[in-house]
Amino acid sequence: MIAPSRDVVDRLRLAVGAAHCITDPTELRTYEADGLTGYRVRPGIVVLPSTTEQVADCVRIARDANMPVVPRGSGTGLSGGALPTEGCLVIGLSRMNAILDVDVPNLRMRVQPGVINLAMSAHLGPLGYYYAPDPSSQSVCSIGGNVAENSGGAHCLKYGFTTNHVVAVRIVLEDGSVVDVGAEHGDPLGYDLTKAIVGSEGMLGIVTEVVVRILRKPQSTRTLFATFPTTDEAGNAVSRIIAAGIVPAAIEMCDTLAIEAIVASTGVDWPLDVGAVLLMDVDGVEAEAAHTAAEAERIAKASGAIEIRTPRDAYERDLMWKGRKSAFAAVGRISPDYYVGDGVVPRRSIGPVLREIAELAAREGLRVANVFHAGDGNLHPLVLYDARKPGESERAEHVSGEILRICIRYGGSITGEHGVGHDKQFYMGELFSDDDLETMNRVRCAFDPQRIFNPAKVFPTPRLCGDRPGPYVAHETEKQDLAGRG
Amino acid sequence: MTQTLEPKSDEDVAEMVRSTGDQAIATVGSATNLGFGNPAEREDIVLSTRGLNRIVDYVPEDQVVVVEAGITLGELQVELGKHGQRLAIESLGGDGVTIGGMLATNAYGPSALRYGTLKDLIVGVELVRADGVVARAGGKVVKNVAGFDVSKLIVGSLGTLAIITKATFRVHPLPESTRRLTFNAKIANVFPFVLALREAQLEPSSIAVRINGEDATIEVVFEGFGPGVDAQIAACEGVAKRVTLSVVSAANVACAHTVGIEGQKKYRLKATYPPTEFARIAREIKGEALAYPSLGVVHFGDNATAVASLRATFESLGGTLVVQNMPDEWRGKIDAWGTPPPAFKIMRALKDRFDPRRRLNPGRFVGGL
């Protein structure tokens, strides 16, 4: 472990207060990993600032000392985006959790980065408004982390991702200067740097304030739960619903193994003898939601649905969604270890890709559970294994990697919402050419020429080539059933 | 003497950029609006993208289309329309504008209210850099967070970072029904009406307002399935009565707007402001204008004095006033963009990284980028 010098520690303590400066090796262990807990690196020191000025002071101190800086939100990320770099300064932003301003007539909300995603909608709910992107971890993940990863969620099929809802940010740059980027209203003047910052995985600077667009709640939301003999019929239903011109708010699929895990974990009364479950929301004005829900139900039946359920009330609806959103942690009930995938394929390829994944898993003697955002082709294959059995970890790693290659071969992507981080950086070289990556790196260099922010992520550096995806371990909050993922 | 090049492929573009040394390149599409922004510092070569006008890949089932930059919006919509789909964006300059031109200028119309701008619709891009290297970002799937989002960063960059040769978009199904309501109003009633529609949880796809002095004409368009649209039209009429607006006409329409998209030919300026300031800015403009009141956008003005007198007002509200169509006689006298934003040093650094020898539209963009 590389420890920071006495002088650096003193300066950081002065900057944020000794109580918010963590140097004790035992306490530092909390910050060794994020949601991708298979990888652990001890940070040099952790600070928990409470103001933009404190963040800027810390960045200047780190820069003077040539320490890499790794920003961190709630630490729920699944790609190792907040994995420390050896000896780095981790700047944890969870204390900066104030909602600064709500401007309902102008549909804007200004928050600090540590505000929990769901807290924004909870705050807006009584006013009749909400913040749209809803990652399954929304009860614990922070808006700052969402900005870093361009987080998605089930309902981004209709409403878009974090990038479509963040209009401006305040950011601390590598020289410790603070700038406001973007425009609260209308078009930002000049290059739209906000669009570069969202999804940049903490590599361009540290965001200390976020201005988001808020939405009026829809008049009506209708939820449809349907079971099918196989994922093929369910996939056809999805294709036909979308071909009919319906844009569902969300349309999610789980296969048999995932259903088994969800039932075991949450106790929902989903049938275990089906090949697939579809969970769908349509929303809008009452007449529109009623029409599209009826149309979707008709299409589902015509596509071979075995059973269709509609929730009687909000409680039943929440239970259905809880089942889906708890899927990642639920898989812990049926397998001691598993990898979480996040590949994307064109929607029409979902069927053939699922078959290839099943064949691949069968060849390696492993099981794969599938829960995914069917509407946009974002798969979450969960590769199950038992690390105690010789060779199984290696086979599971191999299968996870090959699934990403299948996604690339079908014209898709290696990550739809979890980010590249440390986990998938090796595969970036298979998805993009050197010229593509070099072009992205120019953006990074314009912001951070010294590469002090999160330096070892996203790009497949020679040092990290050959690294393979890490195993999934349930986050503490998931074990306590406080939050889901995916 | 400016030389015009007409590449037929992205490889042609790359070769032309590589073989022309340090010469400055102005990329043009249909050349419908060469007055966008400031005049370039130098312009040795005009590179026309009109030979790059193919649909490269289109799978209606996936609702994604890959096009070359020189295809016009009209040409693209015809092909998408054959499959009951469209790119959900309007051009204020007519259907003859190229997709590349729309991307470069971040062009959009009133339905950005529901569908967003090209920044929301683009999912991938192919660029030729100033050094002649071809690079891609994003991909062909809508949901994708692999790598920095260069596709969105490039939208609205006025060809100053790289030459766009291909773009990939999410497309939407054509609505089963489109209906429009038109109202007469006073400008003081416009924003309260917008708020009342929102309060009633109605979801118009666009709201456009023609301003003329104290008077306003409001167009509200609803799209979707028949029953939903009919219900929204009825509810919208009810809301209008409550805020004492009178209905001028109701229509089933193929094209959503009449006043909503006539902007570019008529108006030279575009300004942005917090939507709550609508009445104030409508009064200060003192003349005809076209506004999208939910978006905080207004197109207006054809004389140079408006720039000088109103830019400070919009900037003090946190907005902007930009010259979108500069006549020759304003050139060199009026800055198209206004005060560079606080993050300008990063913008300059980006320009330096992407175009260190200043070959691409040098000087046309904000702050002389």
Side-chain angles (χ1 to χ4, degrees):
Chain A
M1 179 187 152
I2 307 167
S5 72
R6 186 75 233 171
D7 173 58
V8 166
V9 174
D10 287 345
R11 288 179 67 194
L12 288 170
R13 279 186 174 145
L14 201 62
V16 299
H20 305 298
C21 197
I22 298 166
T23 53
D24 175 75
T26 313
E27 286 181 62
L28 283 176
R29 287 179 62 184
T30 306
Y31 299 88
E32 283 179 348
D34 58 11
L36 187 77
T37 46
Y39 292 103
R40 296 190 166 271
V41 176
R42 185 78 55 90
I45 187 165
V46 175
V47 290
L48 305 172
S50 60
T51 66
T52 297
E53 292 67 35
Q54 289 184 1
V55 173
D57 284 345
C58 293
V59 167
R60 275 189 290 267
I61 293 163
R63 196 174 107 123
D64 291 350
N66 282 320
M67 282 176 91
V69 174
V70 176
R72 179 185 175 99
S74 295
T76 55
L78 291 170
S79 57
L83 178 73
T85 297
E86 185 73 37
C88 74
L89 169 66
V90 166
I91 299 186
L93 296 149
S94 49
R95 289 178 67 225
M96 293 183 68
N97 60 355
I99 292 173
L100 300 173
D101 186 40
V102 179
D103 182 356
V104 168
N106 283 314
L107 298 177
R108 294 292 183 269
M109 183 175 193
R110 179 180 283 269
V111 297
Q112 289 186 320
V115 170
I116 300 302
N117 173 296
L118 197 59
M120 298 199 290
S121 288
H123 186 86
L124 295 167
L127 306 169
Y129 290 77
Y130 73 111
Y131 172 71
D134 64 333
S136 292
S137 56
Q138 68 181 149
S139 59
V140 284
C141 66
S142 68
I143 183 67
N146 292 177
V147 168
E149 303 300 319
N150 187 15
S151 302
H155 291 78
C156 57
L157 177 61
K158 178 173 179 182
Y159 291 102
F161 318 98
T162 302
T163 185
N164 307 105
H165 296 271
V166 171
V167 298
V169 297
R170 179 166 291 174
I171 187 169
V172 176
L173 299 171
E174 50 92 31
D175 61 356
S177 62
V178 177
V179 291
D180 286 333
V181 171
E184 286 195 40
H185 306 286
D187 315 308
L189 199 58
Y191 302 132
D192 197 343
L193 303 178
T194 312
K195 298 297 181 194
I197 291 166
V198 177
S200 63
E201 307 202 17
M203 295 171 70
L204 301 184
I206 299 189
V207 168
T208 60
E209 286 184 25
V210 186
V211 182
V212 301
R213 190 193 316 275
I214 61 177
L215 300 185
R216 180 79 168 110
K217 284 183 185 171
Q219 267 180 17
S220 170
T221 300
R222 303 251 178 154
T223 300
L224 192 75
F225 171 97
T227 59
F228 293 85
T230 71
T231 51
D232 278 349
E233 283 96 350
N236 285 339
V238 172
S239 292
R240 286 175 189 161
I241 286 166
I242 286 167
I246 296 170
V247 183
I251 187 160
E252 304 280 303
M253 202 194 297
C254 306
D255 71 2
T256 309
L257 203 49
I259 296 165
E260 187 190 317
I262 289 166
V263 170
S265 164
T266 65
V268 292
D269 65 338
W270 295 7
L272 292 166
D273 57 349
V274 297
V277 156
L278 268 191
L279 185 60
M280 185 176 94
D281 272 356
V282 293
D283 65 15
V285 295
E286 179 58 43
E288 179 91 359
H291 175 84
T292 48
E295 188 65 7
E297 185 171 338
R298 188 188 63 76
I299 294 168
K301 280 181 185 153
S303 305
I306 301 167
E307 182 197 4
I308 290 178
R309 299 181 193 173
T310 49
R312 274 168 301 191
D313 51 29
Y315 175 77
E316 276 197 9
R317 173 177 186 270
D318 289 348
L319 211 59
M320 285 177 177
W321 274 105
K322 188 183 173 191
R324 162 60 189 92
K325 290 192 175 185
S326 66
F328 285 12
V331 167
R333 295 294 186 101
I334 60 168
S335 177
D337 305 289
Y338 53 105
Y339 286 97
V340 174
D342 181 39
V344 190
V345 295
R347 191 161 45 225
R348 85 192 116 112
S349 309
I350 289 177
V353 167
L354 287 180
R355 275 193 291 281
E356 282 206 33
I357 291 174
E359 284 161 17
L360 169 68
R363 274 202 305 278
E364 298 292 338
L366 295 172
R367 297 185 299 167
V368 175
N370 285 289
V371 288
F372 54 93
H373 309 296
D376 42 32
N378 183 195
L379 312 175
H380 292 310
L382 307 164
V383 181
L384 315 188
Y385 67 100
D386 184 343
R388 293 164 303 189
K389 293 185 182 163
E392 217 167 278
S393 304
E394 291 73 17
R395 293 211 306 282
E397 277 181 16
H398 171 71
V399 167
S400 293
E402 286 307 306
I403 289 172
L404 295 182
R405 295 199 167 98
I406 292 170
C407 293
I408 294 172
R409 182 152 46 78
Y410 276 86
S413 172
I414 57 174
T415 174
E417 56 184 3
H418 296 170
V420 176
H422 173 70
D423 188 36
K424 293 178 280 287
Q425 59 191 145
F426 172 65
Y427 295 90
M428 284 290 277
E430 299 188 28
L431 186 61
F432 291 110
S433 72
D434 284 348
D435 290 335
D436 302 339
L437 294 169
E438 203 270 322
T439 303
M440 292 175 197
N441 197 45
R442 289 180 180 207
V443 177
R444 176 197 196 181
C445 295
F447 278 84
D448 181 17
Q450 310 292 325
R451 302 181 180 199
I452 72 163
F453 291 120
N454 220 2
K457 307 291 165 61
V458 178
F459 294 99
T461 62
R463 182 172 63 85
L464 290 161
C465 277
D467 280 357
R468 283 167 289 185
Y472 182 88
V473 179
H475 190 261
E476 265 320 301
T477 51
E478 274 183 287
K479 288 184 195 157
Q480 295 156 18
D481 203 25
L482 295 173
R485 301 277 188 84
Chain B
M1 185 63 197
T2 311
Q3 179 193 2
T4 298
L5 301 175
E6 293 175 339
K8 300 286 181 236
S9 68
D10 41 11
E11 294 81 14
D12 282 357
V13 176
E15 172 54 32
M16 287 168 182
V17 171
R18 281 196 297 267
S19 63
T20 47
D22 274 348
Q23 291 187 283
I25 302 169
T27 307
V28 303
S30 300
T32 52
N33 186 10
L34 298 177
F36 201 103
N38 289 326
E41 289 161 15
R42 55 196 184 100
E43 187 176 302
D44 307 312
I45 297 166
V46 170
L47 191 143
S48 166
T49 61
R50 275 302 277 147
L52 304 167
N53 56 4
R54 283 164 291 243
I55 292 177
V56 179
D57 190 10
Y58 174 38
V59 181
E61 222 179 319
D62 291 334
Q63 296 181 349
V64 167
V65 67
V66 187
V67 299
E68 290 182 324
I71 194 170
T72 65
L73 181 64
E75 289 163 350
L76 175 59
Q77 300 291 35
V78 166
E79 280 309 302
L80 298 173
K82 290 175 186 168
H83 300 275
Q85 296 180 349
R86 64 171 167 179
L87 183 62
I89 198 97
E90 299 125 332
S91 158
L92 277 65
D95 278 355
V97 301
T98 62
I99 291 298
M102 291 186 74
L103 285 169
T105 58
N106 186 28
Y108 60 86
S111 70
L113 175 61
R114 174 146 173 194
Y115 300 101
T117 67
L118 289 176
K119 289 175 188 175
D120 299 292
L121 299 170
I122 193 168
V123 298
V125 75
E126 183 192 89
L127 308 166
V128 173
R129 291 193 324 219
D131 56 1
V133 168
V134 179
R136 295 174 307 133
K140 290 203 291 190
V141 284
V142 171
K143 196 171 185 185
N144 184 3
V145 295
F148 296 164
D149 206 337
V150 176
S151 315
K152 289 182 172 61
L153 176 64
I154 217 80
V155 179
S157 64
L158 201 58
T160 59
L161 292 178
I163 298 168
I164 301 169
T165 49
K166 289 193 190 106
T168 305
F169 297 101
R170 173 184 192 175
V171 297
H172 283 80
L174 281 167
E176 180 187 278
S177 167
T178 302
R179 292 184 67 184
R180 179 178 66 217
L181 283 172
T182 308
F183 304 97
N184 281 338
K186 295 293 176 191
I187 53 175
N189 288 337
V190 171
F191 196 68
F193 177 56
V194 169
L195 288 183
L197 290 175
R198 194 182 289 156
E199 195 51 37
Q201 293 168 297
L202 301 187
E203 299 177 0
S205 57
S206 59
I207 306 174
V209 181
R210 183 193 293 154
I211 302 163
N212 192 351
E214 279 293 313
D215 297 319
T217 306
I218 310 173
E219 278 190 349
V220 186
V221 176
F222 294 97
E223 296 176 331
F225 291 96
V229 171
D230 294 348
Q232 296 212 73
I233 288 279
C236 182
E237 286 179 320
V239 170
K241 275 201 190 94
R242 283 206 297 284
V243 291
T244 67
L245 301 187
S246 54
V247 178
V248 174
S249 67
N252 293 301
V253 284
C255 168
H257 275 277
T258 53
V259 301
I261 56 170
E262 69 185 3
Q264 187 174 295
K265 291 193 184 81
K266 191 164 179 179
Y267 302 117
R268 297 193 179 279
L269 313 179
K270 175 182 177 181
T272 60
Y273 54 91
T276 43
E277 300 290 336
F278 176 82
R280 173 178 167 190
I281 66 95
R283 288 202 178 92
E284 296 220 14
I285 285 169
K286 293 191 188 74
E288 286 188 54
L290 164 67
Y292 309 145
S294 285
L295 298 173
V297 169
V298 63
H299 296 268
F300 68 103
D302 59 1
N303 64 70
T305 52
V307 181
S309 61
L310 289 175
R311 180 168 274 157
T313 303
F314 284 102
E315 291 189 350
S316 72
L317 294 170
T320 57
L321 190 161
V322 168
V323 183
Q324 288 211 316
N325 185 2
M326 189 178 283
D328 288 344
E329 60 270 24
W330 297 11
R331 289 173 170 245
K333 296 175 196 145
I334 288 175
D335 174 27
W337 304 102
T339 312
F344 187 70
K345 64 175 178 179
I346 299 292
M347 297 180 192
R348 179 172 283 157
L350 261 180
K351 174 71 174 173
D352 289 345
R353 295 279 172 182
F354 274 82
D355 183 19
R357 292 182 294 172
R358 299 185 61 74
R359 298 189 64 195
L360 305 177
N361 271 349
R364 267 186 82 180
F365 202 35
V366 176
L369 288 170

